[in-house]
Amino acid sequence: MVWFTEYQTENVGLTIKAKEVKTINSKYQEIIVLDTEEFGKVLVLDGAVQTTEKDEFMYHEMLVHPALIKHPQPQRVLIIGGGDGGSVREALKHKSVEEVHLCEIDEEVIFVSEKYFPSISSKLRDEKVKIFIEDGNQFLEERKNYYDVIIMDSSDPIGPAEVLFQESFYKKVKSSLRKNGIMVAQTESPFLQEKYFKNAVKEIKKVFKYVGVYTGFVPTYPAGMWSYTLASDDVNVLDNVNKDRLDNIETKYIDEYLYTNLFAIPKFIKNMIE
Ligand code: SAM
């Protein structure tokens, strides 16, 4: 048994007891797989917990479903990052979806997820899924006016993911969306990563007409509180439409009540972004 600590900020860490620790060095990052009693398998990239078998549904459901439900008829979905496959699995639960493109910079994350996280990566080889091993920022250069929903499932804004949180990148996202297109991005912890959170929302607001921020619990992420930001130029993402679509989707976290009250977020967070 070893105690593994993720240093979430300069002053705060998350420590989990692990039965086994496997380390793989890819071209881009250090990948660690922990086998733990409490969270099952845990995926760690460059020291930061990305997902765990026990709480991944909280993050993936909240990231994916609101954007897909708000879109009138989502057919083409792009996920940037997300090599573990959790967002792909959730996106495919929507019957109207015809193709899911996954743009992940690090192929090794996909291999590791397929080997150690079968319940998360289960749909990566679905016939509707096409995987691109590329930098998301470059990938969008060639794809204009194509996607209905773009999901930013990236790691923290450090290293190769830094650019994915900037205005210039969100402009590319906008031009890769077709009519009624919606973007959703994971936008970090408003409590322990206030600077990252505020900056991401600020940059998104510079580019899109309608922007909506919501929060959710993810126990292994900093402060256990996570933020997500929806954005569109055509669809008012603040409207709570199509909630009956959730009837046909199997979920463990989001339900109609939560979806209807998606933007009921704590006052101190509203104050940060107004
Ligand atoms: N759920 C996670 C979180 O919020 O902590 C994110 C999970 S996902 C595994 C993040 C992925 O983004 C990583 O696999 C990483 O390799 C990928 N990534 C980082 N920068 C990228 C880029 N510029 N283009 C595409 N993928 C990128």
Side-chain angles (χ1 to χ4, degrees):
M1 290 285 184
V2 287
W3 286 94
F4 173 88
T5 298
E6 172 196 2
Y7 298 96
Q8 297 185 326
T9 72
E10 272 173 34
N11 307 307
V12 178
L14 167 76
T15 302
I16 310 174
K17 192 153 76 179
K19 294 180 271 187
E20 217 185 322
V21 181
K22 285 200 174 63
T23 305
I24 302 119
N25 283 299
S26 79
K27 205 168 111 189
Y28 291 97
Q29 51 210 341
E30 182 191 61
I31 305 172
I32 293 178
V33 179
L34 306 174
D35 190 3
T36 75
E37 206 63 69
E38 190 58 49
F39 291 100
K41 297 250 175 32
V42 178
L43 177 69
V44 183
L45 298 180
D46 279 344
V49 171
Q50 302 292 309
T51 200
T52 84
E53 284 182 317
K54 188 172 181 180
D55 68 4
E56 59 88 10
F57 70 96
M58 301 179 159
Y59 170 78
H60 291 121
E61 287 187 18
M62 286 297 271
L63 178 66
V64 172
H65 296 309
L68 281 154
I69 291 169
K70 284 170 191 288
H71 191 282
Q73 171 91 2
Q75 292 171 317
R76 299 171 181 172
V77 177
L78 169 66
I79 296 157
I80 295 186
D84 53 72
S87 294
V88 168
R89 184 196 63 203
E90 293 306 312
L92 286 171
K93 289 182 179 172
H94 294 255
K95 292 278 173 288
S96 63
V97 170
E98 291 170 356
E99 56 179 330
V100 177
H101 288 176
L102 176 75
C103 174
E104 163 64 60
I105 202 168
D106 189 351
E107 194 170 24
E108 203 60 50
V109 175
I110 293 171
F111 296 149
V112 166
S113 189
E114 289 188 306
K115 185 163 177 192
Y116 298 105
F117 299 85
S119 61
I120 304 179
S121 59
S122 57
K123 297 287 178 188
L124 279 173
R125 305 293 163 182
D126 188 281
E127 57 182 15
K128 291 181 181 171
V129 179
K130 204 164 167 198
I131 298 175
F132 299 84
I133 304 302
E134 271 181 62
D135 180 331
N137 189 38
Q138 259 138 46
F139 180 83
L140 287 187
E141 297 279 354
E142 293 131 48
R143 284 162 186 87
K144 301 292 163 213
N145 197 26
Y146 189 82
Y147 295 105
D148 296 314
V149 175
I150 297 182
I151 298 169
M152 296 304 308
D153 187 5
S154 68
S155 16
D156 296 340
I158 308 163
E162 192 179 352
V163 63
L164 308 180
F165 291 80
Q166 293 167 0
E167 181 187 0
S168 55
F169 175 74
Y170 296 127
K171 281 187 177 156
K172 289 186 195 175
V173 169
K174 183 157 117 171
S175 60
S176 299
L177 289 167
R178 61 177 169 170
K179 180 98 187 108
N180 292 326
I182 298 178
M183 176 194 82
V184 64
Q186 73 84 358
T187 42
E188 308 289 303
S189 169
F191 193 78
L192 277 181
Q193 297 164 321
E194 188 178 333
K195 210 175 82 198
Y196 288 162
F197 165 69
K198 277 167 74 176
N199 188 61
V201 176
K202 189 181 87 201
E203 299 291 286
I204 293 170
K205 280 187 170 172
K206 282 185 198 164
V207 176
F208 291 94
K209 184 169 168 198
Y210 301 107
V211 175
V213 175
Y214 59 100
T215 55
F217 297 105
V218 188
T220 54
Y221 285 177
M225 174 197 251
W226 210 243
S227 74
Y228 311 84
T229 302
L230 283 160
S232 177
D233 261 8
D234 305 321
V235 175
N236 185 351
V237 292
L238 298 171
D239 288 344
N240 285 317
V241 291
N242 310 326
K243 67 173 195 280
D244 51 312
R245 282 203 213 152
L246 272 165
D247 296 343
N248 308 317
I249 296 169
E250 211 188 297
T251 59
K252 286 193 281 181
Y253 190 99
I254 191 167
D255 65 3
E256 283 192 18
Y257 186 76
L258 198 158
Y259 173 73
T260 308
N261 296 286
L262 196 64
F263 300 108
I265 64 172
K267 198 169 154 186
F268 77 93
I269 300 178
K270 272 193 213 128
N271 290 340
M272 280 182 200
I273 53 181
E274 265 160 17

